[in-house]
């Protein structure tokens, strides 16, 4: 039987293989044979970075000859960009373009002794000496009307004399098919010092001025066309403010659905919030990656700047200024449209606010908090105080409906902390010190009432039949927190670290759900899709009996984070060690996963 050779593969299979190769690997393929050179040349030139390396070994010549093959283009070298701009003849073949020039260059056309065949009339004008990078980018943009993705920074928006060319560049951006636009404001990377005449944007946020600037430019959509296909906008580097005159392009973004903000200062935050609210009625996704900026009022303006309701909201960690106004603005979307909520720090949110979200977010699919390595002592988690929540539910009589969680089958990911549950089995801290009762308990309360509280919480969770990940544990600390306190060598789950931080913030959650059969775990039998349970640094009571139950009732459960526990908090070290030994043996016998789906798999 003959062995199939690489050359015998269909072209579409070879193309698929080549899509997983980097430029260096593709270059090696070009050198193998004439046949491979002919086949891989178009693939090699599909994705090109135009930098100063092209000045060597006739790289510019190869670039010009293969310009028609380029689909994804990254520009950083000004001179090579000039050549490419003049060499393009309106092919319109680019899919994506990214431009960031590390230096400005004098237009080489101004010093040529004789014009070449690729010279254009535009470059021979009297103004050629001041156009440079901006003019080159303008030519490339006007000749690539099929562009899908475009990324530009401040180096693209300044003429060589420092004049603002932002509106000119935006005017020539292709509008027909552009789906993604990334704009990086801030200091021009190719100018060492900012000239005094270069505008830096407003020094304070005045809503009326933003509205006036947008009103003055309302005809832009008619003059330059609307970005009808634009769905995603990324704005970063507004830490030097954003001139109001630059906000006019938002008037052309009526179909925008997603916006991502990075490194935005409070003044830019306010002006962007107003522009988005007035110009982008279809906006549904907000991804703010920080660092956090502004006070409660400023955050509220951004969250309120949505006309149809948010579907997804992601806010940065260390968001300590998230307060009452922000929460009110958030709640405009929670009961109706919100599907994904990611907040790294809930700031000054109150206990009742968390319950209000749980009792009104009917369409929520994901509720996420701080991620591993982003948790600090000041971070406020989404927290449910179990006993007080249960007492409020039991006390309301006919109004119990308003204390019932509305999260249902659509829920896929749930991250929160549950505390304030009476636990008669908690007799001490893990180091043996005497422990106090959970805060907020009335005098003479029955500790055994904790089982009623747990069963009530299980009854709220049981409706989330689509849940795949349940995170109730403590996420990993920010490493800088440990470094500042000289605690780098301590394990995150160690008793020593808990003791070192006991006066700063609690590392271990004692008064939380047991996840034991005695506490009502069987109420969660309907969570058939659950894949991961996180109970790190919590006083759970998951033993072999519970694992056997999960094996049958949670067939897709792959892992439990934080499963290992010596139960030091029971005061019986010998019994706790015996439980841990039995659990370790059970897990060793089920190496592929806890649920029955993984039985017998390798």
């Amino acid at each position: 039987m003959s062995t199939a050779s690489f050359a015998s593969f269909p072209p579409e299979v070879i193309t698929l293989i080549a899509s997983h190769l980097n430029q260096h690997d593709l270059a090696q393929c070009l050198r193998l044979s004439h046949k491979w050179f002919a086949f891989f040349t178009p693939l090699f030139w599909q994705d090109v970075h135009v930098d100063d390396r092209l000045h060597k070994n006739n790289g510019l010549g190869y670039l010009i000859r293969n310009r028609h093959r380029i689909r994804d283009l990254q520009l950083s070298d000004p001179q090579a960009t000039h050549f490419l701009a003049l060499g393009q003849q309106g092919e319109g073949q680019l899919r994506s373009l990214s431009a960031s020039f590390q230096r400005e260059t004098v237009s080489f056309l101004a010093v040529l002794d004789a014009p070449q065949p690729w010279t254009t009339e535009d470059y021979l004008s009297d103004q050629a000496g001041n156009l440079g990078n901006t003019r080159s980018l303008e030519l490339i943009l006007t000749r690539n009307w099929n562009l899908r993705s475009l990324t530009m920074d401040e180096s693209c928006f300044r003429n060589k004399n420092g004049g603002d060319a932002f509106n000119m560049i935006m005017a020539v951006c292709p509008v027909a098919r552009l789906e993604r636009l990334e704009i990086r404001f801030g200091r021009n990377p190719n100018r060492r010092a900012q000239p005094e005449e270069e505008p830096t944007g407003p020094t304070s946020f005045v809503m009326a001025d933003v509205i006036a600037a947008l009103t003055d430019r309302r005809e832009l959509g008619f003059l330059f066309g609307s970005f009808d296909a634009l769905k995603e906008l990324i704005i970063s580097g507004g830490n030097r403010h954003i001139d109001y005159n630059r906000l006019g392009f938002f008037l052309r973004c009526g179909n925008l659905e997603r916006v991502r903000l990075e490194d935005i200062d409070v003044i830019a935050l306010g002006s962007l919030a107003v522009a988005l609210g007035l110009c982008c009625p279809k906006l549904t996704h907000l991804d703010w990656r920080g660092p956090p900026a502004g006070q409660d009022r400023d955050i509220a303006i951004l969250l309120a700047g949505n006309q149809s309701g948010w579907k997804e909201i992601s806010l940065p960690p260390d968001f300590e200024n998230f307060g009452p106004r922000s929460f009110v603005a958030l709640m405009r979307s929670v009961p109706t449209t919100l599907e994904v909520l990611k907040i790294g720090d809930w700031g000054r949110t109150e206990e009742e606010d968390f319950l209000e979200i749980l009792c009104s977010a009917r369409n929520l699919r994901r509720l996420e908090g701080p991620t591993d390595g982003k948790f600090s002592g000041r971070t406020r988690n989404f927290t449910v105080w179990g006993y007080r929540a249960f007492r409020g539910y039991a006390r309301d009589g006919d109004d119990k409906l308003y204390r019932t969680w509305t999260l249902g089958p659509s829920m896929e990911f749930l991250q929160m902390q549950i505390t304030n549950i009476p636990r008669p089995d908690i007799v001490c801290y893990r180091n043996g010190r005497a422990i106090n009762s959970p805060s907020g308990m009335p005098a003479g309360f029955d500790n055994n009432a904790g089982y009623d509280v747990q069963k009530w919480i299980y009854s709220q969770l049981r409706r989330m039949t689509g849940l795949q990940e349940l995170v109730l544990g403590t996420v990993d600390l920010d490493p800088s927190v440990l470094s500042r306190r000289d605690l780098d060598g301590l394990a995150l789950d160690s008793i020593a670290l808990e003791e070192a931080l006991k006066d700063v913030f609690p590392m271990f959650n004692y008064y939380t759900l047991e996840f034991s059969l005695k506490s009502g775990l069987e109420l969660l039998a309907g969570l058939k899709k659950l894949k991961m349970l996180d109970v790190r640094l919590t006083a759970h009571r998951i033993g072999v009996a519970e694992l056997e139950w999960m094996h049958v009732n949670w067939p897709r459960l792959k892992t439990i984070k934080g499963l290992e526990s010596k139960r030091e908090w029971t005061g019986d070290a010998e019994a706790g060690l015996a439980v841990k030994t039995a659990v370790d043996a059970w897990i060793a016998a089920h190496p592929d996963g806890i649920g029955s789906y993984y039985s017998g798999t390798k």
Side-chain angles (χ1 to χ4, degrees), residues 481-511:
V481 175
L482 301 178
S483 298
R484 288 196 300 268
R485 300 177 182 276
D486 296 324
L487 301 174
D488 301 87
L490 298 179
L492 293 173
D493 61 349
S494 67
I495 296 177
L497 182 61
E498 180 186 356
E499 284 299 297
L501 298 175
K502 69 181 187 319
D503 296 326
V504 183
F505 54 88
M507 282 291 297
F508 195 90
N509 188 0
Y510 289 92
Y511 296 107

Side-chain angles (χ1 to χ4, degrees), residues 234-248:
I234 302 171
I235 295 182
S236 61
N239 54 339
R240 290 183 58 239
H241 318 327
I242 299 175
D243 194 288
Y244 293 160
N245 292 325
R246 290 184 165 189
L247 299 177

Side-chain angles (χ1 to χ4, degrees), residues 265-312:
D265 75 350
V266 61
I267 298 177
L269 174 65
S271 57
L272 288 172
V274 174
L276 291 168
L278 292 176
C279 305
C280 306
K282 298 181 180 180
L283 195 62
T284 57
H285 294 64
L286 170 63
D287 183 2
W288 185 2
R289 301 194 175 183
Q295 299 301 312
D296 187 23
R297 167 184 173 271
D298 306 303
I299 302 167
I301 292 175
L302 177 62
L303 293 178
N306 172 272
Q307 301 178 27
S308 56
W310 296 106
K311 287 186 178 179
E312 294 189 14

Side-chain angles (χ1 to χ4, degrees), residues 282-359:
K282 298 181 180 180
L283 195 62
T284 57
H285 294 64
L286 170 63
D287 183 2
W288 185 2
R289 301 194 175 183
Q295 299 301 312
D296 187 23
R297 167 184 173 271
D298 306 303
I299 302 167
I301 292 175
L302 177 62
L303 293 178
N306 172 272
Q307 301 178 27
S308 56
W310 296 106
K311 287 186 178 179
E312 294 189 14
I313 295 178
S314 178
L315 301 181
D318 299 325
F319 214 47
E320 58 187 23
N321 288 328
F322 189 96
R325 291 184 177 181
S326 305
F327 181 79
V328 170
L330 172 67
M331 287 304 298
R332 293 175 55 184
S333 300
V334 168
T336 54
T337 59
L338 194 64
E339 298 178 4
V340 177
L341 180 58
K342 305 177 184 179
I343 297 186
D345 187 349
W346 284 87
R348 292 179 278 119
T349 308
E350 301 294 333
E351 172 185 347
E352 287 295 322
D353 297 336
F354 296 132
L355 287 175
E356 186 175 352
I357 291 177
L358 293 176
C359 297

Side-chain angles (χ1 to χ4, degrees), residues 248-260:
F249 83 94
F250 279 100
L251 294 163
R252 305 164 60 195
C253 303
N255 291 329
L256 188 67
E257 296 177 357
R258 301 171 179 267
V259 62
R260 191 174 90 198

Side-chain angles (χ1 to χ4, degrees), residues 149-164:
S149 177
L150 174 61
T151 300
M152 300 178 291
D153 68 4
E154 193 68 34
S155 67
C156 303
F157 307 141
R158 295 287 175 187
N159 291 320
K160 282 187 297 194
N161 64 357
D164 193 350

